Short mmCIF file of all heavy atoms in Angstrom, two decimals:
data_model
loop_
_atom_site.label_atom_id
_atom_site.label_comp_id
_atom_site.label_asym_id
_atom_site.label_seq_id
_atom_site.Cartn_x
_atom_site.Cartn_y
_atom_site.Cartn_z
N MET T 1 -13.97 -1.65 16.58
CA MET T 1 -13.55 -2.61 15.55
C MET T 1 -12.11 -2.33 15.16
O MET T 1 -11.77 -1.24 14.67
CB MET T 1 -14.47 -2.51 14.33
CG MET T 1 -14.17 -3.53 13.27
SD MET T 1 -15.50 -3.70 12.02
CE MET T 1 -15.52 -2.06 11.30
N SER T 2 -11.27 -3.30 15.39
CA SER T 2 -9.84 -3.13 15.10
C SER T 2 -9.58 -3.30 13.60
O SER T 2 -10.42 -3.84 12.88
CB SER T 2 -9.02 -4.17 15.87
OG SER T 2 -9.21 -5.46 15.29
N PRO T 3 -8.41 -2.86 13.12
CA PRO T 3 -8.08 -3.04 11.69
C PRO T 3 -8.16 -4.51 11.26
O PRO T 3 -8.69 -4.82 10.20
CB PRO T 3 -6.65 -2.50 11.59
CG PRO T 3 -6.53 -1.53 12.71
CD PRO T 3 -7.39 -2.07 13.81
N LYS T 4 -7.66 -5.41 12.11
CA LYS T 4 -7.69 -6.84 11.77
C LYS T 4 -9.13 -7.35 11.71
O LYS T 4 -9.51 -8.09 10.78
CB LYS T 4 -6.89 -7.65 12.78
CG LYS T 4 -6.83 -9.14 12.42
CD LYS T 4 -6.14 -9.98 13.47
CE LYS T 4 -5.97 -11.41 13.02
NZ LYS T 4 -7.21 -12.06 12.56
N GLU T 5 -9.94 -6.98 12.71
CA GLU T 5 -11.34 -7.43 12.74
C GLU T 5 -12.09 -6.91 11.51
O GLU T 5 -12.90 -7.63 10.92
CB GLU T 5 -12.02 -6.95 14.03
CG GLU T 5 -11.55 -7.71 15.26
CD GLU T 5 -11.90 -7.01 16.56
OE1 GLU T 5 -12.22 -5.79 16.55
OE2 GLU T 5 -11.84 -7.67 17.62
N ALA T 6 -11.82 -5.67 11.14
CA ALA T 6 -12.47 -5.08 9.96
C ALA T 6 -12.08 -5.85 8.70
O ALA T 6 -12.93 -6.20 7.87
CB ALA T 6 -12.08 -3.61 9.82
N TYR T 7 -10.79 -6.11 8.55
CA TYR T 7 -10.30 -6.81 7.36
C TYR T 7 -10.94 -8.20 7.26
O TYR T 7 -11.42 -8.61 6.20
CB TYR T 7 -8.77 -6.94 7.42
CG TYR T 7 -8.18 -7.51 6.14
CD1 TYR T 7 -7.81 -6.67 5.09
CD2 TYR T 7 -8.02 -8.89 5.98
CE1 TYR T 7 -7.29 -7.19 3.91
CE2 TYR T 7 -7.51 -9.41 4.80
CZ TYR T 7 -7.14 -8.56 3.77
OH TYR T 7 -6.64 -9.07 2.60
N ASP T 8 -10.96 -8.92 8.39
CA ASP T 8 -11.51 -10.29 8.39
C ASP T 8 -13.01 -10.29 8.10
O ASP T 8 -13.51 -11.11 7.33
CB ASP T 8 -11.24 -10.97 9.74
CG ASP T 8 -9.76 -11.26 9.96
OD1 ASP T 8 -8.99 -11.17 8.98
OD2 ASP T 8 -9.37 -11.56 11.11
N LEU T 9 -13.74 -9.35 8.73
CA LEU T 9 -15.20 -9.31 8.56
C LEU T 9 -15.59 -8.92 7.14
O LEU T 9 -16.46 -9.55 6.52
CB LEU T 9 -15.81 -8.33 9.57
CG LEU T 9 -17.33 -8.15 9.52
CD1 LEU T 9 -18.06 -9.49 9.63
CD2 LEU T 9 -17.80 -7.19 10.61
N ILE T 10 -14.94 -7.89 6.61
CA ILE T 10 -15.27 -7.44 5.24
C ILE T 10 -14.91 -8.52 4.22
O ILE T 10 -15.67 -8.78 3.28
CB ILE T 10 -14.59 -6.09 4.93
CG1 ILE T 10 -15.22 -5.00 5.79
CG2 ILE T 10 -14.73 -5.72 3.45
CD1 ILE T 10 -14.39 -3.77 5.97
N SER T 11 -13.78 -9.15 4.42
CA SER T 11 -13.38 -10.25 3.52
C SER T 11 -14.42 -11.36 3.54
O SER T 11 -14.82 -11.89 2.49
CB SER T 11 -12.02 -10.81 3.94
OG SER T 11 -11.02 -9.81 3.85
N ALA T 12 -14.91 -11.70 4.74
CA ALA T 12 -15.92 -12.77 4.87
C ALA T 12 -17.24 -12.36 4.22
O ALA T 12 -17.89 -13.17 3.55
CB ALA T 12 -16.14 -13.10 6.35
N ILE T 13 -17.63 -11.09 4.40
CA ILE T 13 -18.88 -10.61 3.79
C ILE T 13 -18.77 -10.61 2.27
O ILE T 13 -19.68 -11.04 1.56
CB ILE T 13 -19.23 -9.19 4.31
CG1 ILE T 13 -19.61 -9.24 5.78
CG2 ILE T 13 -20.37 -8.57 3.48
CD1 ILE T 13 -19.77 -7.87 6.43
N LYS T 14 -17.63 -10.14 1.76
CA LYS T 14 -17.42 -10.10 0.30
C LYS T 14 -17.42 -11.50 -0.31
O LYS T 14 -17.85 -11.69 -1.45
CB LYS T 14 -16.10 -9.38 0.00
CG LYS T 14 -16.17 -7.86 0.17
CD LYS T 14 -16.94 -7.22 -0.97
CE LYS T 14 -16.95 -5.73 -0.93
NZ LYS T 14 -17.65 -5.12 -2.06
N ASP T 15 -16.93 -12.49 0.46
CA ASP T 15 -16.95 -13.87 -0.03
C ASP T 15 -18.37 -14.43 -0.05
O ASP T 15 -18.70 -15.29 -0.86
CB ASP T 15 -16.08 -14.76 0.88
CG ASP T 15 -14.60 -14.56 0.62
OD1 ASP T 15 -14.25 -14.00 -0.44
OD2 ASP T 15 -13.79 -14.95 1.49
N ALA T 16 -19.21 -13.92 0.88
CA ALA T 16 -20.55 -14.49 1.05
C ALA T 16 -21.61 -13.87 0.15
O ALA T 16 -22.50 -14.57 -0.32
CB ALA T 16 -20.99 -14.33 2.51
N VAL T 17 -21.52 -12.55 -0.08
CA VAL T 17 -22.55 -11.87 -0.89
C VAL T 17 -21.91 -10.88 -1.85
O VAL T 17 -20.87 -10.31 -1.57
CB VAL T 17 -23.59 -11.12 0.00
CG1 VAL T 17 -24.38 -12.07 0.86
CG2 VAL T 17 -22.92 -10.03 0.83
N ASP T 18 -22.58 -10.66 -2.95
CA ASP T 18 -22.09 -9.70 -3.94
C ASP T 18 -22.83 -8.37 -3.76
O ASP T 18 -23.70 -8.01 -4.56
CB ASP T 18 -22.31 -10.26 -5.35
CG ASP T 18 -21.75 -9.34 -6.44
OD1 ASP T 18 -20.87 -8.54 -6.10
OD2 ASP T 18 -22.23 -9.41 -7.58
N LEU T 19 -22.51 -7.68 -2.68
CA LEU T 19 -23.14 -6.39 -2.39
C LEU T 19 -22.07 -5.40 -1.95
O LEU T 19 -21.08 -5.78 -1.32
CB LEU T 19 -24.16 -6.54 -1.25
CG LEU T 19 -25.48 -7.27 -1.54
CD1 LEU T 19 -26.29 -7.39 -0.25
CD2 LEU T 19 -26.29 -6.54 -2.60
N PRO T 20 -22.26 -4.10 -2.24
CA PRO T 20 -21.32 -3.09 -1.74
C PRO T 20 -21.33 -3.07 -0.21
O PRO T 20 -22.38 -3.26 0.41
CB PRO T 20 -21.87 -1.78 -2.31
CG PRO T 20 -22.74 -2.17 -3.45
CD PRO T 20 -23.30 -3.52 -3.09
N VAL T 21 -20.17 -2.84 0.38
CA VAL T 21 -20.04 -2.78 1.84
C VAL T 21 -19.66 -1.36 2.26
O VAL T 21 -18.73 -0.77 1.73
CB VAL T 21 -18.97 -3.78 2.36
CG1 VAL T 21 -18.74 -3.60 3.86
CG2 VAL T 21 -19.41 -5.21 2.06
N VAL T 22 -20.44 -0.84 3.21
CA VAL T 22 -20.22 0.49 3.78
C VAL T 22 -19.70 0.31 5.20
O VAL T 22 -20.20 -0.55 5.94
CB VAL T 22 -21.55 1.28 3.83
CG1 VAL T 22 -21.32 2.70 4.34
CG2 VAL T 22 -22.22 1.30 2.46
N VAL T 23 -18.70 1.09 5.60
CA VAL T 23 -18.16 0.96 6.95
C VAL T 23 -18.34 2.27 7.71
O VAL T 23 -18.01 3.35 7.20
CB VAL T 23 -16.67 0.55 6.94
CG1 VAL T 23 -16.19 0.27 8.36
CG2 VAL T 23 -16.45 -0.68 6.08
N HIS T 24 -18.87 2.14 8.92
CA HIS T 24 -19.11 3.29 9.80
C HIS T 24 -18.41 3.02 11.12
O HIS T 24 -18.61 1.98 11.74
CB HIS T 24 -20.62 3.45 10.03
CG HIS T 24 -20.97 4.45 11.08
ND1 HIS T 24 -21.27 5.76 10.79
CD2 HIS T 24 -21.06 4.35 12.44
CE1 HIS T 24 -21.54 6.41 11.91
NE2 HIS T 24 -21.42 5.58 12.93
N THR T 25 -17.57 3.98 11.55
CA THR T 25 -16.93 3.83 12.86
C THR T 25 -16.76 5.20 13.49
O THR T 25 -17.14 6.22 12.91
CB THR T 25 -15.59 3.07 12.75
OG1 THR T 25 -15.13 2.75 14.07
CG2 THR T 25 -14.52 3.89 12.03
N HIS T 26 -16.19 5.22 14.69
CA HIS T 26 -15.94 6.47 15.43
C HIS T 26 -14.49 6.48 15.89
O HIS T 26 -13.88 5.43 16.07
CB HIS T 26 -16.87 6.56 16.64
CG HIS T 26 -18.32 6.74 16.28
ND1 HIS T 26 -19.00 7.90 16.50
CD2 HIS T 26 -19.21 5.89 15.72
CE1 HIS T 26 -20.26 7.77 16.09
NE2 HIS T 26 -20.41 6.55 15.60
N CYS T 27 -13.96 7.67 16.16
CA CYS T 27 -12.56 7.80 16.57
C CYS T 27 -12.35 7.59 18.07
O CYS T 27 -11.24 7.74 18.57
CB CYS T 27 -12.03 9.20 16.20
SG CYS T 27 -11.93 9.48 14.42
N THR T 28 -13.39 7.25 18.78
CA THR T 28 -13.38 7.18 20.24
C THR T 28 -12.14 6.48 20.81
O THR T 28 -11.52 6.97 21.75
CB THR T 28 -14.65 6.44 20.74
OG1 THR T 28 -15.77 6.88 19.98
CG2 THR T 28 -14.90 6.70 22.21
N THR T 29 -11.79 5.33 20.25
CA THR T 29 -10.69 4.54 20.81
C THR T 29 -9.35 4.78 20.11
O THR T 29 -8.33 4.21 20.52
CB THR T 29 -11.00 3.04 20.69
OG1 THR T 29 -11.17 2.73 19.30
CG2 THR T 29 -12.26 2.67 21.45
N GLY T 30 -9.35 5.58 19.05
CA GLY T 30 -8.11 5.84 18.32
C GLY T 30 -7.83 4.87 17.19
O GLY T 30 -6.79 4.94 16.54
N LEU T 31 -8.76 3.94 16.94
CA LEU T 31 -8.53 2.90 15.91
C LEU T 31 -8.99 3.31 14.51
O LEU T 31 -8.58 2.71 13.53
CB LEU T 31 -9.29 1.62 16.29
CG LEU T 31 -8.82 0.83 17.51
CD1 LEU T 31 -9.83 -0.26 17.83
CD2 LEU T 31 -7.44 0.22 17.27
N ALA T 32 -9.87 4.30 14.41
CA ALA T 32 -10.67 4.50 13.20
C ALA T 32 -9.88 4.66 11.90
O ALA T 32 -10.23 4.04 10.88
CB ALA T 32 -11.60 5.69 13.39
N PHE T 33 -8.84 5.48 11.88
CA PHE T 33 -8.10 5.70 10.63
C PHE T 33 -7.49 4.39 10.14
O PHE T 33 -7.55 4.07 8.95
CB PHE T 33 -7.00 6.75 10.83
CG PHE T 33 -7.51 8.17 10.87
CD1 PHE T 33 -7.75 8.79 12.08
CD2 PHE T 33 -7.75 8.88 9.70
CE1 PHE T 33 -8.23 10.10 12.13
CE2 PHE T 33 -8.22 10.17 9.73
CZ PHE T 33 -8.46 10.79 10.95
N MET T 34 -6.89 3.62 11.07
CA MET T 34 -6.28 2.34 10.69
C MET T 34 -7.35 1.35 10.24
O MET T 34 -7.16 0.59 9.28
CB MET T 34 -5.50 1.77 11.87
CG MET T 34 -4.31 2.62 12.29
SD MET T 34 -3.44 1.94 13.73
CE MET T 34 -4.58 2.33 15.07
N THR T 35 -8.48 1.37 10.94
CA THR T 35 -9.58 0.46 10.60
C THR T 35 -10.09 0.74 9.19
O THR T 35 -10.36 -0.19 8.41
CB THR T 35 -10.72 0.59 11.63
OG1 THR T 35 -10.23 0.14 12.90
CG2 THR T 35 -11.94 -0.22 11.23
N TYR T 36 -10.20 2.03 8.82
CA TYR T 36 -10.65 2.37 7.47
C TYR T 36 -9.64 1.93 6.41
O TYR T 36 -10.01 1.46 5.33
CB TYR T 36 -10.92 3.87 7.36
CG TYR T 36 -12.31 4.28 7.80
CD1 TYR T 36 -12.59 5.60 8.14
CD2 TYR T 36 -13.36 3.37 7.87
CE1 TYR T 36 -13.86 6.00 8.54
CE2 TYR T 36 -14.63 3.75 8.26
CZ TYR T 36 -14.88 5.07 8.60
OH TYR T 36 -16.14 5.45 9.00
N MET T 37 -8.36 2.07 6.72
CA MET T 37 -7.33 1.64 5.75
C MET T 37 -7.47 0.15 5.44
O MET T 37 -7.47 -0.26 4.28
CB MET T 37 -5.93 1.92 6.33
CG MET T 37 -5.55 3.39 6.39
SD MET T 37 -5.39 4.17 4.76
CE MET T 37 -3.95 3.32 4.11
N LYS T 38 -7.59 -0.66 6.50
CA LYS T 38 -7.70 -2.10 6.28
C LYS T 38 -9.07 -2.49 5.71
O LYS T 38 -9.18 -3.47 4.97
CB LYS T 38 -7.46 -2.86 7.61
CG LYS T 38 -6.04 -2.74 8.13
CD LYS T 38 -4.98 -3.23 7.15
CE LYS T 38 -4.91 -4.73 7.05
NZ LYS T 38 -3.80 -5.20 6.18
N SER T 39 -10.10 -1.69 6.02
CA SER T 39 -11.44 -1.96 5.46
C SER T 39 -11.41 -1.83 3.95
O SER T 39 -11.92 -2.68 3.22
CB SER T 39 -12.46 -0.96 6.04
OG SER T 39 -12.62 -1.14 7.41
N VAL T 40 -10.83 -0.73 3.47
CA VAL T 40 -10.77 -0.48 2.02
C VAL T 40 -9.88 -1.52 1.35
O VAL T 40 -10.18 -2.01 0.26
CB VAL T 40 -10.30 0.97 1.75
CG1 VAL T 40 -10.04 1.19 0.26
CG2 VAL T 40 -11.34 1.96 2.27
N GLU T 41 -8.79 -1.87 2.02
CA GLU T 41 -7.89 -2.91 1.50
C GLU T 41 -8.64 -4.24 1.31
O GLU T 41 -8.38 -4.98 0.37
CB GLU T 41 -6.73 -3.10 2.49
CG GLU T 41 -5.54 -3.85 1.94
CD GLU T 41 -4.45 -4.00 2.98
OE1 GLU T 41 -4.02 -2.97 3.55
OE2 GLU T 41 -4.04 -5.15 3.23
N ALA T 42 -9.60 -4.50 2.22
CA ALA T 42 -10.37 -5.75 2.16
C ALA T 42 -11.52 -5.68 1.16
O ALA T 42 -12.19 -6.68 0.91
CB ALA T 42 -10.91 -6.09 3.54
N GLY T 43 -11.77 -4.47 0.60
CA GLY T 43 -12.81 -4.36 -0.41
C GLY T 43 -14.00 -3.50 -0.05
O GLY T 43 -14.99 -3.49 -0.78
#
């Protein structure tokens, strides 16, 4: 999951339901730190 995909998905989920969102990823591809930054930015 790329930073952009995370931001878009979390934003869409937050617009759709009023529930806390938890994000789980792995460092396998090198994306994880950036993905978490954009995830938190998206809520």
Side-chain angles (χ1 to χ4, degrees):
M1 184 165 62
S2 72
K4 183 185 186 307
E5 287 164 343
Y7 187 89
D8 291 347
L9 179 55
I10 292 159
S11 298
I13 291 171
K14 285 286 185 177
D15 284 343
V17 296
D18 183 22
L19 288 175
V21 174
V22 183
V23 187
H24 171 94
T25 190
H26 292 250
C27 293
T28 319
T29 60
L31 292 171
F33 284 96
M34 296 178 286
T35 295
Y36 275 161
M37 289 295 293
K38 293 303 285 185
S39 295
V40 172
E41 195 180 306

